[in-house]
Amino acid sequence: SNTMFVFVSDNGTMWGEHRLMKKAVPYEGASRVPMLVRFDPLTRERRGSAVGSPVVNIDLAPTVMDLVGEPPGSPVDGLSLVRLLRGSATQVRRQFIIEHAGGGDAPAYCGARTRRELFVRYTTGEEEYYWRTDDPWNLVNAIDDSSNAQRVRQLRTYTREECQPRPPGFTWSP
């Protein structure tokens, strides 16, 4: 009655999408993974329901601390998911940072994901932008579409400011 069950993965894997068979890329298949949570005191009434809010693994520690009534202590990156579990909120975050340190055949990158968008900047200076609702498999890079210019600037600024510390191998080249 007071145990929280969590099923989550740290990454997905590409299974041929983009002709890739790996996990270190920012695309949908590798960066979107399920998180299932059951905590009967808060979720019993809504069993089987789904929340489309972006959440990340770093949200688990603040959630547990919130449930046991303890402050998280020093600043933490994650956000408590208790409001989602209670059903009193439909989202706790609008966007989050994704990153890769490089190595192998994938360059280092920092990027931002929202419920509907993916922005990525590679250490090479190359960028990608996908409107995930229209292009769920990230096939058409819309970075140069002028109708996206303002939003790309916003996500670029967010990524530059929030991707701290930078992953090993990543530099924000001009």
Side-chain angles (χ1 to χ4, degrees):
S1 67
N2 65 353
T3 301
M4 182 170 73
F5 294 92
V6 178
F7 174 80
V8 68
S9 176
D10 66 337
N11 58 263
T13 301
M14 303 295 282
W15 293 103
E17 303 95 332
H18 295 265
R19 296 187 175 114
L20 300 171
M21 299 290 285
K22 57 184 164 184
K23 63 182 182 177
V25 294
Y27 306 121
E28 191 74 4
S31 66
R32 183 176 182 184
V33 295
M35 179 184 287
L36 305 172
V37 178
R38 178 177 170 175
F39 182 62
D40 282 352
L42 299 181
T43 61
R44 178 178 292 129
E45 303 299 319
R46 291 178 325 286
R47 267 191 207 157
S49 64
V51 176
S53 173
V55 298
V56 290
N57 294 0
I58 59 173
D59 295 334
L60 292 174
T63 301
V64 171
M65 297 303 290
D66 195 1
L67 288 172
V68 299
E70 290 292 326
S74 63
V76 295
D77 289 331
L79 300 171
S80 173
L81 304 177
V82 168
R83 292 180 303 132
L84 286 176
L85 297 175
R86 278 194 184 117
S88 61
T90 57
Q91 71 178 24
V92 294
R93 67 174 70 245
R94 296 167 44 91
Q95 55 200 15
F96 59 90
I97 292 293
I98 60 171
E99 62 185 23
H100 172 60
D105 54 356
Y109 64 80
C110 275
R113 274 187 68 115
T114 73
R115 189 180 231 169
R116 296 181 179 95
E117 301 160 287
L118 171 63
F119 168 81
V120 182
R121 180 169 183 112
Y122 296 92
T123 197
T124 61
E126 296 169 281
E127 294 178 329
E128 294 178 289
Y129 175 76
Y130 300 97
W131 188 253
R132 295 177 42 240
T133 52
D134 295 337
D135 183 14
W137 300 110
N138 314 134
L139 298 175
V140 179
N141 183 3
I143 195 74
D144 294 324
D145 183 335
S146 61
S147 66
N148 299 322
Q150 180 179 354
R151 185 62 180 145
V152 166
R153 277 193 301 277
Q154 291 170 342
L155 289 171
R156 185 182 293 127
T157 299
Y158 170 77
T159 300
R160 187 177 192 131
E161 291 172 357
E162 297 297 322
C163 191
Q164 300 288 340
R166 305 262 192 253
F170 181 82
T171 57
W172 195 279
S173 56

